[in-house]
Amino acid sequence: MTTEAASYPDLRGRSVCVTGAARGLGLAMATAFAHAGCHVLLLDIDGGELDRVRPPLAARHPDRVIATATAPVNDEDAVAAALADFTARTGELSVMVGNAGLSANAPSLDLELGRWQAALDTNLTGVFVCARAAARLMRDGDGGVILTTSSMYGVTAGPERAAYCATKAAVASLTKVLAVEWAPHGIRVNALAPGYVETDLVAGLAAAGRLDTAALRRRTPRGVLGRPADIAHLALFLASDVSANITGQVMVSDGGWTADGYAVTPG
Ligand SMILES: NC(=O)c1ccc[n+]([C@@H]2O[C@H](COP(=O)([O-])OP(=O)(O)OC[C@H]3O[C@@H](n4cnc5c(N)ncnc54)[C@H](O)[C@@H]3O)[C@@H](O)[C@H]2O)c1
């Protein structure tokens, strides 16, 4: 995974929390922030996976804090406690990346309300809880950057994705509200909105014949799926002072998928 960031804006010494960081895009972003010189807190509900991914990252960066916390993102007390522990070691929180999310894809007529609620709890309430916990610390300090995670499915739609699309659209809206409300505190808030990204999970599903990535590529104007590094680099850009005048935006990285109104959704 290419998440080296030697030529990127200087983020050395910043303190960054990434949620959903045990795998996938969250791990790619946490790794990129560490490579860019940041202290990093990897927060995830999956403590076992955090225990597996932390040692190599910490060994590569012995000069900075590489911490983990096991917590559900919608548990306000647990998130606040994790951030308190982290900032006790780093002195501040500069960046929060609210990345944890899940899909609950099913025909809308059949979708169980439990799965609908789980998507709301993680994708929307979790983002709000983590953003607010971060903003409380940033407001008392020098401000900061909050990144939420929407999706291209927050700005467009697909069948059997009622919970996913609704929560990701809500995240896009929430991002704008928080950006406007917290700008006076020096806090910028922007949303990452990836298209299909070839994470290990996606590659595994494709290898098992459960996801037709060739059809997804044909549907995408650029003809490729996104790479985790594409999203990690977007996060570095938005976290850095290079993007100081950007707030309240939903930054879509989808190879042209949402721009193309002529395409046919793959079956
Ligand atoms: N991969 C893609 O193609 C893609 C595209 C668009 C948007 N996204 C969004 O990007 C984010 C990351 O996607 P991914 O593909 O890396 O997902 P993933 O399933 O590979 O990883 C998600 C991580 O979040 C953690 N998590 C789930 N619920 C949690 C909770 N309640 N509290 C704490 N941690 C929790 C999981 O344990 C897991 O480690 C999600 O919000 C997803 O909706 C992904």
Side-chain angles (χ1 to χ4, degrees):
M1 190 181 302
T2 315
T3 45
E4 300 288 350
S7 62
Y8 250 77
D10 191 6
L11 289 164
R12 274 174 296 178
R14 306 270 175 104
S15 300
V16 182
C17 172
V18 181
T19 76
R23 60 175 65 78
L25 300 184
L27 180 58
M29 289 190 275
T31 302
F33 277 112
H35 291 351
C38 302
H39 305 294
V40 182
L41 169 62
L42 298 92
L43 187 148
D44 203 286
I45 202 169
D46 186 343
E49 197 60 14
L50 286 175
D51 288 345
R52 199 182 67 77
V53 300
R54 180 187 172 279
L57 198 56
R60 182 155 175 194
H61 301 294
D63 56 332
R64 61 199 68 138
V65 178
I66 306 293
T68 59
T70 306
V73 279
N74 60 328
D75 181 334
E76 195 157 32
D77 292 340
V79 169
L83 292 181
D85 283 351
F86 182 54
T87 54
R89 298 173 67 188
T90 63
E92 61 167 10
L93 181 71
S94 330
V95 180
M96 164 62 80
V97 186
N99 162 79
L102 47 85
S103 56
N105 296 351
S108 296
L109 292 174
D110 303 331
L111 178 63
E112 297 118 22
L113 278 186
R115 293 185 69 206
W116 167 269
Q117 189 61 49
L120 277 170
D121 289 345
T122 294
N123 297 6
L124 181 56
T125 307
V127 168
F128 181 58
V129 163
C130 291
R132 192 163 67 161
R136 284 177 175 145
L137 297 170
M138 293 169 179
R139 168 189 62 183
D140 298 333
D142 297 333
V145 171
I146 295 171
L147 301 180
T148 63
T149 304
S150 178
S151 166
M152 74 174 181
Y153 281 126
V155 298
T156 188
E160 306 189 357
R161 287 169 172 77
Y164 192 74
C165 291
T167 54
K168 293 300 186 178
V171 167
S173 177
L174 174 68
T175 300
K176 293 172 197 274
V177 173
L178 300 183
V180 172
E181 194 170 322
W182 295 340
H185 299 299
I187 300 170
R188 295 191 294 115
V189 191
N190 289 295
L192 305 165
Y196 283 99
V197 180
E198 199 145 25
T199 56
D200 293 344
L201 181 71
V202 167
L205 289 172
R210 291 171 54 201
L211 186 67
D212 187 350
T213 47
L216 298 179
R217 285 190 186 88
R218 283 196 301 277
R219 165 64 179 83
T220 305
R222 285 193 70 232
V224 293
L225 302 188
R227 305 166 304 156
D230 295 330
I231 305 307
H233 288 157
L234 181 59
L236 294 179
F237 166 70
L238 290 171
S240 78
D241 298 340
V242 170
S243 63
N245 204 32
I246 299 177
T247 196
Q249 299 303 308
V250 180
M251 308 293 275
V252 180
S253 173
D254 68 353
W257 181 296
T258 50
D260 189 352
Y262 194 66
V264 176
T265 301

